[in-house]
Amino acid sequence: LPYQNLDYLGFYDKSICVTGAGGSIGSELCRQILKFKIKKLILIDNSEPSLYEINEELINLKDKGIEVVPILCDLCDFNYLRKIFKLLKIEIVFHSAAYKHVPLVESNPIAGIKNNIFSTKNICTVSLENKVKKVILISSDKAVRPTNIMGASKRLSELIFKSFSQKSEEICFSMVRFGNVLGSSGSVVPLFQKQIENGGPIKVTHPDIIRYFMTINEACGLVLETIE
């Protein structure tokens, strides 16, 4: 892939932040970003066990010249987030943090809306304030004509990004939509596997539905390609 050239994406000596760094997509993004000659990698997550696990892994993977900074933070805490961005002088943001399980968000709509929408607005606001160079939203194919709360929350997140992109010509606000990513925390495949193990049947949305899959590695590679 072209981005295997370690200066291909302009990551050299940059301070890069990944939100939701302990999640399946966020953690793989961190692993791939560490292949570049960056200055600093900031890991933000509100789950202590997930943040601890990815931080311990990355400490062993990183080059000695790269600083890895784990931040235990709720992205809805705007004042704390503002201090983090100002202190660490973040230059590129990958906003991966979100609630992604459709049935769970459907059962907890307030929590889903708060986490997915307000965290996105906060990230965009502090990025604008601190003149971050690039901000990338990890979105979902469910944001296309959404039929559930999770999809609607991601669609609103996209509209927030679009709005902020019109506020500044200096900052690049971009989005990447995913379908089903094999091995990700939001993937439907583990559910299908359990249904098969239990003797079936496999429950699908519609008998004529077509699903498209990619691996986490491929998905994160595509995200990095959007930086070019």
Side-chain angles (χ1 to χ4, degrees):
L1 290 173
Y3 72 81
Q4 288 176 337
N5 176 344
L6 295 187
D7 195 30
Y8 177 70
L9 301 177
F11 281 179
Y12 179 75
D13 205 33
K14 293 291 191 299
S15 293
I16 301 176
C17 172
V18 178
T19 72
S24 48
I25 297 294
S27 59
E28 179 59 25
L29 275 173
C30 291
R31 295 182 193 102
Q32 294 197 24
I33 289 169
L34 278 185
K35 296 177 182 178
F36 298 86
K37 301 294 183 182
I38 66 172
K39 179 200 299 182
K40 190 181 299 180
L41 180 59
I42 297 96
L43 319 173
I44 298 182
D45 206 293
N46 65 355
S47 168
E48 182 188 26
S50 299
L51 184 62
Y52 174 81
E53 186 175 344
I54 188 60
N55 183 56
E56 287 298 302
E57 177 186 343
L58 296 181
I59 286 174
N60 296 321
L61 290 178
K62 74 181 181 69
D63 183 278
K64 290 183 179 179
I66 300 175
E67 182 181 0
V68 175
V69 184
I71 304 287
L72 194 59
C73 172
D74 179 353
L75 296 177
C76 291
D77 187 341
F78 178 73
N79 290 328
Y80 186 33
L81 192 63
R82 173 184 269 169
K83 291 177 181 178
I84 291 169
F85 271 63
K86 184 176 181 180
L87 178 66
L88 297 176
K89 295 178 169 51
I90 294 167
E91 297 170 275
I92 299 173
V93 180
F94 292 91
H95 182 37
S96 173
Y99 289 153
K100 303 179 178 73
H101 286 281
V102 172
L104 202 57
V105 174
E106 205 71 16
S107 301
N108 299 272
I110 302 301
I113 290 170
K114 178 184 176 183
N115 187 69
N116 292 1
I117 297 174
F118 293 123
S119 68
T120 300
K121 184 177 183 295
N122 287 348
I123 284 290
C124 290
T125 301
V126 296
S127 296
L128 189 64
E129 287 181 353
N130 291 275
K131 296 181 172 57
V132 171
K133 298 181 184 302
K134 298 177 181 178
V135 192
I136 301 91
L137 170 68
I138 309 302
S139 189
S140 165
D141 61 345
K142 294 178 179 64
V144 183
R145 294 188 295 276
T147 58
N148 51 60
I149 292 170
M150 195 284 280
S153 70
K154 296 302 285 184
R155 179 57 182 153
L156 279 169
S157 296
E158 292 182 353
L159 292 174
I160 290 169
F161 258 66
K162 183 177 180 181
S163 172
F164 272 85
S165 70
Q166 296 169 349
K167 294 181 180 181
S168 174
E169 295 181 356
E170 299 176 356
I171 303 174
C172 176
F173 289 92
S174 60
M175 302 167 283
V176 180
R177 284 175 177 164
F178 286 150
N180 208 289
V181 181
L182 292 170
S184 73
S185 60
S187 175
V188 72
V189 173
L191 175 61
F192 287 167
Q193 289 175 326
K194 287 181 182 179
Q195 290 172 348
I196 292 171
E197 289 169 3
N198 292 332
I202 296 177
K203 297 179 181 179
V204 296
T205 308
H206 190 278
D208 296 328
I209 195 169
I210 298 175
R211 290 186 181 270
Y212 298 91
F213 299 93
M214 67 175 70
T215 65
I216 293 180
N217 184 276
E218 291 171 331
C220 292
L222 287 173
V223 172
L224 296 183
E225 285 293 328
T226 67
I227 293 293
E228 183 187 358

